[in-house]
Amino acid sequence: MTIKNTYSLLHAGFGNNLYQIAFTLKQNRKYYSDIPLISIKKEDVKDIKFPTNLIYTINPLKDLCEFGGHPVNTTDEELPTNFKDIFPNLNIINDKDKINKIFSNSNILLEQSPLNENQNDFFSGYANLIERSTSGLNFINHGVYYNLRNFHNEITHIQKKLQPSKVIVDYISKKYKNILEYENTKVGVHLRFGYSVDNILNQIVKKKEILDIIDSYDETSIFVVCSDNIEKAKELLKNIDRRIIYIENETMYVDFFLLIKMDHNILTMSTFSAWVALLNDSENKKVFCPTEFVNLHGKGSLPSDWELY
């Protein structure tokens, strides 16, 4: 069967968006559909007439616009600043008038975020849920943060759909040519320190363990560090006798696509981190993931060859 008049509303941060996109792409394959993604540009959020039954309206300016309202600053005027231009292979609606028209006749699916091991198989009952919930209205997916194991067999397809635009590829290839062509091991390090409102688990950066992992590599390896707080990252790694390259003043999606190109990845408590490693197709890659990620996202959420620290 095909699914009609159904949309997925992207909200919250970039890592969360990747869950929502992956969920939608899986539904497209299962039901031979092309469910559009609704992506609200930050400058348009005040003009959007959100349905009254949309539960995720604690802070619309932050929660319901692209990148969770975080700035997408770039010094390069050619680099895109919205999802539609970043991901040309995705079916994205970001025109505010069209979005308002869809929302005017819609039913919102309550946020779906069962991350535990005993979650119901929402995928198998998706079509029935739509039929029960919509009563002829547009159907809006909202949330859908599922255990990552649901996407392990879809990674190749998701990788293809998430290929960045040519301008991003060219930008990274030119600016970071020396890193990409480095002949020895390239280790991507994502240090996510988080914000004061975050769950405490999301702010864990295990310094000793990370330093031990870095120390286990030989002196020819390089470490490419991206972070939401690059000054804290420098402080954490200041006494490391290894070649470290800090990526500064880039948009989060440039960080993302650069980290995907590394040979190995060191992750912190972040869905951004996890998707970097999942979408990295380097042969014989090593992935180091904090045990706290499993505690939060459920056993079996990660590929078996990832090393927990």
Side-chain angles (χ1 to χ4, degrees), residues 105-133:
N105 186 39
S106 296
N107 187 40
I108 303 290
L109 171 67
L110 296 181
E111 184 176 12
Q112 303 291 307
S113 54
L115 297 173
N116 64 68
E117 290 301 294
N118 298 317
Q119 64 183 336
N120 295 324
D121 186 0
F122 180 65
F123 291 97
S124 65
Y126 185 72
N128 291 334
L129 179 61
I130 292 174
E131 186 175 344
R132 292 196 309 269
S133 303

Side-chain angles (χ1 to χ4, degrees), residues 22-252:
F23 170 85
T24 302
L25 292 175
K26 181 163 183 172
Q27 298 315 303
N28 289 345
R29 298 252 285 180
K30 183 172 182 178
Y31 295 108
Y32 305 99
S33 299
D34 189 12
I35 299 170
L37 299 156
I38 294 176
S39 187
I40 298 170
K41 293 181 283 188
K42 187 174 183 179
E43 62 267 26
D44 292 340
V45 69
K46 291 182 179 179
D47 299 323
I48 300 297
K49 299 177 177 64
F50 294 106
T52 57
N53 61 339
L54 179 58
I55 65 168
Y56 213 98
T57 53
I58 298 172
N59 183 352
L61 291 177
K62 175 181 181 294
D63 297 327
L64 292 170
C65 59
E66 291 179 324
F67 300 102
H70 300 310
V72 186
N73 299 325
T74 173
T75 56
D76 191 308
E77 294 182 357
E78 293 187 0
L79 282 177
T81 57
N82 62 76
F83 264 61
K84 190 176 182 67
D85 294 332
I86 294 168
F87 298 109
N89 296 330
L90 296 178
N91 181 6
I92 294 177
I93 297 172
N94 68 354
D95 177 80
K96 63 183 179 181
D97 293 331
K98 189 168 184 178
I99 292 171
N100 278 332
K101 185 175 181 180
I102 293 169
F103 280 168
S104 69
N105 186 39
S106 296
N107 187 40
I108 303 290
L109 171 67
L110 296 181
E111 184 176 12
Q112 303 291 307
S113 54
L115 297 173
N116 64 68
E117 290 301 294
N118 298 317
Q119 64 183 336
N120 295 324
D121 186 0
F122 180 65
F123 291 97
S124 65
Y126 185 72
N128 291 334
L129 179 61
I130 292 174
E131 186 175 344
R132 292 196 309 269
S133 303
T134 57
S135 301
L137 301 177
N138 296 318
F139 182 71
I140 310 295
N141 286 320
H142 175 242
V144 295
Y145 307 112
Y146 279 83
N147 194 301
L148 286 168
R149 70 169 180 266
N150 284 301
F151 308 113
H152 292 176
N153 62 352
E154 294 285 327
I155 289 300
T156 300
H157 177 65
I158 295 170
Q159 286 170 332
K160 291 178 181 178
K161 286 292 187 177
L162 288 180
Q163 289 301 305
S165 65
K166 184 177 184 300
V167 66
I168 297 172
V169 173
D170 291 346
Y171 175 86
I172 293 175
S173 298
K174 180 179 179 180
K175 185 171 182 179
Y176 298 107
K177 184 174 186 287
N178 291 341
I179 293 176
L180 296 175
E181 295 182 356
Y182 186 68
E183 61 183 8
N184 295 311
T185 303
K186 304 181 291 291
V187 183
V189 183
H190 180 234
L191 299 177
R192 198 262 187 157
F193 293 95
Y195 308 92
S196 60
V197 297
D198 281 342
N199 181 295
I200 187 64
L201 277 176
N202 295 347
Q203 299 182 64
I204 291 174
V205 176
K206 300 165 74 172
K207 178 177 179 178
K208 179 183 183 304
E209 290 82 353
I210 291 172
L211 297 185
D212 286 344
I213 293 169
I214 292 175
D215 190 55
S216 70
Y217 282 86
D218 64 42
E219 295 181 355
T220 66
S221 301
I222 62 171
F223 298 86
V224 179
V225 177
C226 298
S227 178
D228 60 346
N229 190 326
I230 203 67
E231 295 307 317
K232 277 191 176 183
K234 290 179 180 179
E235 179 66 21
L236 186 143
L237 301 174
K238 65 180 180 181
N239 294 320
I240 293 296
D241 186 22
R242 291 290 187 277
R243 183 181 173 191
I244 299 176
I245 302 172
Y246 296 98
I247 306 302
E248 302 187 61
N249 302 317
E250 293 290 8
T251 67
M252 63 189 75

